[in-house]
């Protein structure tokens, strides 16, 4: 049985323009799926539709079953958000409340979904921060008082606090510098494996998706143009757009290899 089952999902503007068109995919428990495409391809809108977070100006049709709950048209999804699925967004500065200390923000899902209070809540917050390699002092900090990488780690701690079955990571490293990106990717990879979670990883970067996922769906102009096991898509791209993504990733790898060789020779 799939933890997440998306069937003929479309997202429309008020004037009837389709931003996502007839998208279908499934994600079983414990598996990892990459959703990849250029800016404007519909990948972030898909994650918002999957969690019932589309803005009021947009409407969705089709079916999204999240642990058996129909998301499309649902009025209350408190029973699945945080408990079944949680999201790590691209920009932690906007995902975190700038007027609330980090510890209180991590505590909120634990209080709401697990009913923790007092010493048990404080211990759970400390454990959540420690799990993402944040020092205990961060609990008393406001978002602007810590680095971008630390803010993203705090956002990950919030998302994982209630041990969701599905983690949705929407461009979680794009706003970070290259060194911090690698650390955050390694952290996500380790935590998803440790808790046997399913992962829906959204990115424009095929090389990044290749580090953390097993299968991939390639989006272009709101439609799925290619899908399947990652190694098959890489070995034999089925369409021009996917071929261009693969070629770009290979050119980047070659350039990085050359840079390393030159650096080593120097």
């Amino acid at each position: 049985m799939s933890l997440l089952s998306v069937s003929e999902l479309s997202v429309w503007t008020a004037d009837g323009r389709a931003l996502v068109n007839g998208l279908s995919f499934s994600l079983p428990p414990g598996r990892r799926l990459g959703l990849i495409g250029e800016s404007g391809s519909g990948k972030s809108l898909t994650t918002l539709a999957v969690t019932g977070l589309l803005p009021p100006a947009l409407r969705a049709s089709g079916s999204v079953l999240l642990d058996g709950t129909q998301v499309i048209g649902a009025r209350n999804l408190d029973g699945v958000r945080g408990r079944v699925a949680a999201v790590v967004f691209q920009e932690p500065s906007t995902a975190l409340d700038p007027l609330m200390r980090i510890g209180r923000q991590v505590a909120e899902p634990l209080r709401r979904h697990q009913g923790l209070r007092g010493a048990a809540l404080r211990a759970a917050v400390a454990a959540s921060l420690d799990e993402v390699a944040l020092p205990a002092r961060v609990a008393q900090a406001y978002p602007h008082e810590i680095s971008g990488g630390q803010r993203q780690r705090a956002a990950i701690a919030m998302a994982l606090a209630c041990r969701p079955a599905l983690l949705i990571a929407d461009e979680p490293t794009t706003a970070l510098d290259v060194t911090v990106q690698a650390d955050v990717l390694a952290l996500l990879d380790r935590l998803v494996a440790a808790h046997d979670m399913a992962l829906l990883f959204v990115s424009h970067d095929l090389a990044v998706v290749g580090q953390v996922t097993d299968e991939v769906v390639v989006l272009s102009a709101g439609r799925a143009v290619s899908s399947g096991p990652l190694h098959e898509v890489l070995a034999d791209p089925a369409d021009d757009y996917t071929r261009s993504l693969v070629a770009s990733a290979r050119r980047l790898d070659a350039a990085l290899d050359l840079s390393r060789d030159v650096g080593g020779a120097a």
Side-chain angles (χ1 to χ4, degrees):
M1 178 182 175
S2 291
L3 175 63
L4 173 63
S5 180
V6 176
S7 179
E8 293 296 318
L9 172 66
S10 295
V11 177
W12 309 83
T13 62
D15 60 3
R17 182 165 59 96
L19 304 177
V20 176
N21 202 329
L23 181 61
S24 298
F25 63 86
S26 62
L27 183 57
R31 298 299 300 273
R32 302 180 180 198
L33 176 68
L35 198 60
I36 185 167
E38 62 193 347
S39 179
S41 62
K43 55 189 188 299
S44 290
L45 284 177
T46 298
T47 65
L48 294 175
V50 161
T51 50
L53 293 173
L54 281 172
L58 300 178
R59 61 183 180 87
S61 62
S63 174
V64 174
L65 288 174
L66 184 54
D67 195 31
T69 296
Q70 178 58 252
V71 173
I72 302 299
R75 294 188 176 183
N76 189 333
L77 291 168
D78 289 347
V80 295
R81 290 185 192 138
R83 181 182 62 83
V84 175
V87 186
V88 177
F89 292 102
Q90 174 178 338
E91 180 48 75
S93 294
T94 56
L96 296 172
D97 187 333
L99 302 179
M100 187 183 296
R101 296 182 193 274
I102 295 296
R104 186 177 171 191
Q105 296 191 57
V106 175
E108 187 58 31
L110 291 163
R111 182 186 297 112
R112 180 185 306 149
H113 296 294
Q114 297 188 359
L116 297 181
R117 298 289 187 276
L121 179 59
R122 291 192 293 274
V125 170
S128 293
L129 294 177
D130 181 66
E131 186 174 50
V132 297
L134 285 175
R137 60 178 173 77
V138 168
Q140 297 304 314
Y142 290 97
H144 72 274
E145 295 176 323
I146 59 178
S147 70
Q150 288 177 319
R151 286 193 291 268
Q152 194 61 295
R153 287 173 181 265
I156 293 169
M158 288 173 59
L160 299 187
C162 294
R163 298 291 182 260
L166 169 63
L167 179 65
I168 301 172
D170 187 359
E171 299 266 17
T173 62
T174 300
L176 308 175
D177 66 51
V178 174
T179 303
V180 178
Q181 281 185 25
D183 289 342
V184 170
L185 278 177
L187 175 68
L188 282 172
D189 186 47
R190 176 176 62 80
L191 293 176
V192 167
H195 300 301
D196 195 27
M197 291 183 289
L199 174 66
L200 179 61
F201 192 95
V202 179
S203 180
H204 65 278
D205 190 331
L206 184 58
V208 169
V209 169
Q211 294 181 52
V212 293
T213 65
D214 310 309
E215 300 198 9
V216 65
V217 175
V218 181
L219 290 180
S220 179
R223 295 180 179 271
V225 296
S226 184
S227 64
L230 181 66
H231 67 277
E232 292 183 8
V233 172
L234 292 177
D236 186 21
D239 66 286
D240 290 341
Y241 179 68
T242 306
R243 278 191 287 273
S244 70
L245 285 179
V246 172
S248 296
R250 287 174 177 163
R251 284 195 297 270
L252 178 58
D253 283 345
L256 291 174
D257 288 341
L258 178 61
S259 177
R260 285 191 287 265
D261 290 343
V262 171

